[in-house]
């Protein structure tokens, strides 16, 4: 083995480790996405083959038939990688950094093959034998790489088996409250909530018009569905029964700089204004506009119970939600019923804040935030979709409605329940001062502040939650 070959192998290991930790675990969180079960199975098999190759390269020379088997393993790895590329293309949209990393991995692997195949062909021409080939520290480095590949191969295999056991509620059941066949316009249809709503509506036989920013992501939505990239693509004589407006810049994907605050507010206010403009020019008005908002409208509280009649405290979250709700109000002047969903923390494994907690908790690195006494008002994602359908089907519901489960919990209880469900300890605690230092107002309002919100309006209008307790929700989604 030449120094150049070992260098290329080291580069391959480094890029593979980056892909695994940064993309598969931290950002894409494949281990908890049911759609990625087959991808994880391919990763598991490939990691096992990598572990075998690392051990051979570090400790042995395989001659004759054994060398031919190594060549076969290398060829098998190429086939698995191609299958993986196809599976990824069909099941998810890769971020740019992952596509670049995959390209570099493929190029580097080709260079490794160019240098390694002549060696293996030479070994294949010799008498069949297994010859020890200790190479000092390189042998131990190869063993470490083999152990790492084996561990993540086992992790991917276990995750794939877990995903095979996870069964969500049938999508069409979530919108059973909607009679007949409706045409529903959904903005933000590729998001965490919008994608599940769109899938539920189409599965139940309703027509969905999905407004998306990225048409490529719309390919993940189940057909049949009408995809548009602008509301001006909807003709004035279109018959739309309901509009669900969920679009907006993600609120927790970065520090709240002045520029980011403007983008967060403008994305929601502008889109909602455009929706109202569409309603104004439609010859036949939709019956209802269900527009997004959040429990941030109430501002920061301690233990006080908050219903829809509660007042607010000033903070950025309130300013954002207040502007968002006000932008939807003019639709009422066109005879449209307007309902603003004051949504809490949405619990699910395909997105939302819980997915950011799963990886550290699964590796035993989870814990409470600050004192842990702040309230977390949450709702399971399928219950939120069911509530949206209930709102559309209930003419008596107007104005703000709290989209939260009936039993909010403190951060300490939330942390303990998640750790219990994952069978992991949760002994770490992120200090309040550290969160404030690096998160600023985002940490103060979203992580350390809290609201103890009760869904009075939903309950009084006959909505029945499937998951009133956090334990029930975690048992359903995990």
């Amino acid at each position: 083995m030449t120094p150049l070959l070992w260098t290329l192998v080291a580069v391959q290991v480094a890029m593979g480790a980056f892909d695994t930790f940064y993309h598969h675990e931290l950002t894409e969180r494949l281990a908890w996405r049911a759609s990625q079960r087959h991808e994880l199975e391919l990763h598991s098999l490939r990691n096992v083959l990598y572990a075998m190759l690392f051990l051979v390269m570090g400790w042995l020379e395989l001659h004759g038939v054994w060398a031919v088997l190594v060549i076969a393993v290398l060829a098998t790895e190429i086939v698995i990688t191609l299958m993986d590329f196809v599976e990824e293309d069909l099941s998810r949209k890769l971020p740019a950094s992952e596509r670049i990393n995959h390209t570099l991995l493929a190029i580097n692997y080709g260079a490794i093959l160019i240098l390694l195949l002549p060696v293996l062909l030479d070994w294949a021409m010799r008498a069949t034998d297994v010859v020890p080939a200790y190479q000092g520290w390189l042998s131990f480095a190869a063993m470490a790489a083999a152990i790492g590949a084996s561990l993540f191969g086992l992790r991917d295999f276990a995750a794939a088996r877990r995903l095979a056991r996870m069964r969500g509620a049938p999508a069409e059941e979530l919108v059973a409250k909607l009679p007949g066949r409706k045409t529903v316009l959904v903005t933000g249809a590729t998001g965490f909530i919008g994608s599940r709503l769109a899938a539920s509506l189409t599965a139940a036989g309703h027509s969905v018009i999905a407004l998306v920013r990225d048409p490529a992501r719309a390919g993940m939505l189940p057909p049949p569905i009408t995809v548009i990239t602008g509301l001006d693509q909807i003709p004035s004589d279109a018959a739309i029964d309901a509009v669900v407006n969920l679009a907006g810049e993600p609120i927790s994907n970065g520090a709240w700089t002045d520029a980011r605050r403007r983008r967060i507010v403008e994305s929601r206010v502008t889109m909602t204004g455009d929706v109202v403009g569409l309603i104004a020019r439609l010859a036949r008005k939709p019956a209802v506009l269900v527009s997004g908002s959040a429990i941030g409208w109430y501002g920061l509280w301690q233990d006080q119970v908050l219903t829809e009649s509660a007042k607010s405290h000033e903070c950025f979250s309130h300013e954002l939600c207040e502007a968002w709700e006000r932008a939807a109000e003019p639709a009422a002047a066109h005879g449209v019923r307007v309902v603003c969903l004051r949504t809490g923390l949405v619990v699910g494994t395909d997105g939302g804040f819980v997915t950011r907690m799963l990886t550290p908790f699964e590796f035993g690195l989870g814990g409470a935030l600050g004192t842990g006494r702040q309230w977390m008002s949450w709702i399971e994602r399928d219950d939120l979709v069911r509530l949206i359908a209930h709102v559309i089907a209930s003419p008596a519901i107007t104005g703000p409605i709290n989209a939260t489960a009936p039993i909010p919990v403190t951060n300490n209880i939330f942390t303990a329940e998640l750790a219990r469900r994952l069978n992991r300890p949760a002994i770490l605690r992120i200090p309040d001062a550290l969160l404030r230092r690096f998160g600023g107002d985002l940490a103060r309002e979203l992580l350390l502040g809290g609201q103890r919100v009760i869904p009075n309006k939903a309950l009084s209008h006959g909505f029945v939650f499937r998951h009133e307790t956090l334990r029930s929700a975690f048992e359903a989604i995990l």
Side-chain angles (χ1 to χ4, degrees), residues 23-98:
H23 294 125
H24 299 172
E25 295 291 347
L26 295 180
T27 56
E28 296 297 291
R29 304 174 185 92
L30 302 184
W32 291 98
R33 292 171 60 176
S35 60
Q36 306 314 124
R37 178 165 64 91
H38 297 306
E39 182 182 350
L40 289 170
E41 290 170 344
L42 291 170
H43 290 178
S44 174
L45 180 56
R46 185 170 57 193
N47 279 329
V48 170
L49 295 181
Y50 272 141
M52 294 168 54
L53 290 170
F54 291 147
L55 284 176
V56 168
M57 292 180 66
W59 295 90
L60 303 171
E61 284 189 11
L62 300 183
H63 298 167
V65 173
W66 296 114
V68 174
L69 288 176
V70 173
I71 294 173
V73 168
L74 292 171
T76 302
E77 195 281 340
I78 294 174
V79 173
I80 292 174
T81 297
L82 292 175
M83 294 173 63
D84 186 32
F85 286 167
V86 173
E87 179 64 30
E88 289 170 341
D89 186 61
L90 292 174
S91 59
R92 66 185 177 101
K93 184 179 185 295
L94 271 66
S97 60
E98 190 171 3

Side-chain angles (χ1 to χ4, degrees), residues 1-195:
M1 298 290 183
T2 65
L4 177 58
L5 179 56
W6 276 114
T7 300
L8 293 177
V9 170
V11 170
Q12 192 78 357
V13 170
M15 289 194 296
F18 170 76
D19 196 37
T20 297
F21 282 105
Y22 181 73
H23 294 125
H24 299 172
E25 295 291 347
L26 295 180
T27 56
E28 296 297 291
R29 304 174 185 92
L30 302 184
W32 291 98
R33 292 171 60 176
S35 60
Q36 306 314 124
R37 178 165 64 91
H38 297 306
E39 182 182 350
L40 289 170
E41 290 170 344
L42 291 170
H43 290 178
S44 174
L45 180 56
R46 185 170 57 193
N47 279 329
V48 170
L49 295 181
Y50 272 141
M52 294 168 54
L53 290 170
F54 291 147
L55 284 176
V56 168
M57 292 180 66
W59 295 90
L60 303 171
E61 284 189 11
L62 300 183
H63 298 167
V65 173
W66 296 114
V68 174
L69 288 176
V70 173
I71 294 173
V73 168
L74 292 171
T76 302
E77 195 281 340
I78 294 174
V79 173
I80 292 174
T81 297
L82 292 175
M83 294 173 63
D84 186 32
F85 286 167
V86 173
E87 179 64 30
E88 289 170 341
D89 186 61
L90 292 174
S91 59
R92 66 185 177 101
K93 184 179 185 295
L94 271 66
S97 60
E98 190 171 3
R99 292 198 304 271
I100 293 171
N101 196 66
H102 284 185
T103 301
L104 295 175
L105 280 166
I107 293 172
N108 196 66
Y109 189 71
I112 290 172
L113 291 181
I114 290 173
L115 295 177
L116 185 58
L117 281 177
V119 176
L120 292 174
L121 290 173
D122 177 60
W123 289 356
M125 300 301 292
R126 304 181 189 182
T128 299
D129 196 7
V130 178
V131 180
Y134 175 65
Q135 302 179 63
W137 68 270
L138 288 173
S139 293
F140 290 99
M143 178 179 288
I147 292 173
S150 298
L151 290 175
F152 274 96
L154 291 173
R155 189 261 196 299
D156 288 341
F157 178 74
R161 287 177 59 87
R162 176 178 61 203
L163 293 177
R165 297 193 300 270
M166 292 169 63
R167 292 288 184 270
E172 63 272 13
E173 290 184 3
L174 305 182
V175 294
K177 282 282 185 179
L178 290 181
R181 188 174 185 273
K182 305 291 186 185
T183 297
V184 182
L185 168 64
V186 181
T187 73
T190 58
F192 175 45
I193 300 165
S195 59

Side-chain angles (χ1 to χ4, degrees), residues 38 52 55 80 99 125 153 170 181 194 202 226 232 238 275 283 332 380 406-407 420 423 435 448 450 452:
H38 297 306
M52 294 168 54
L55 284 176
I80 292 174
R99 292 198 304 271
M125 300 301 292
R181 188 174 185 273
T202 55
T226 301
D232 56 349
V275 167
E380 194 268 333
I407 305 177
R420 183 197 67 82
N423 296 312
L435 289 169
L448 300 172
R452 190 179 182 181

Side-chain angles (χ1 to χ4, degrees), residues 328-347:
E329 289 175 0
H334 301 286
V336 175
R337 177 167 57 96
V338 178
V339 181
C340 294
L341 286 173
R342 291 180 180 170
T343 308
L345 300 168
V346 183
V347 173

Side-chain angles (χ1 to χ4, degrees), residues 327-388:
E329 289 175 0
H334 301 286
V336 175
R337 177 167 57 96
V338 178
V339 181
C340 294
L341 286 173
R342 291 180 180 170
T343 308
L345 300 168
V346 183
V347 173
T349 57
D350 291 334
F353 78 106
V354 168
T355 59
R356 302 182 181 186
M357 302 172 69
L358 288 173
T359 297
F361 270 73
E362 193 173 11
F363 285 95
L365 301 175
L369 303 176
T371 65
R373 294 193 294 271
Q374 65 271 31
W375 285 93
M376 301 178 70
S377 296
W378 59 275
I379 185 170
E380 194 268 333
R381 182 175 66 159
D382 281 358
D383 265 350
L384 177 55
V385 172
R386 293 178 57 248
L387 178 58
I388 291 172

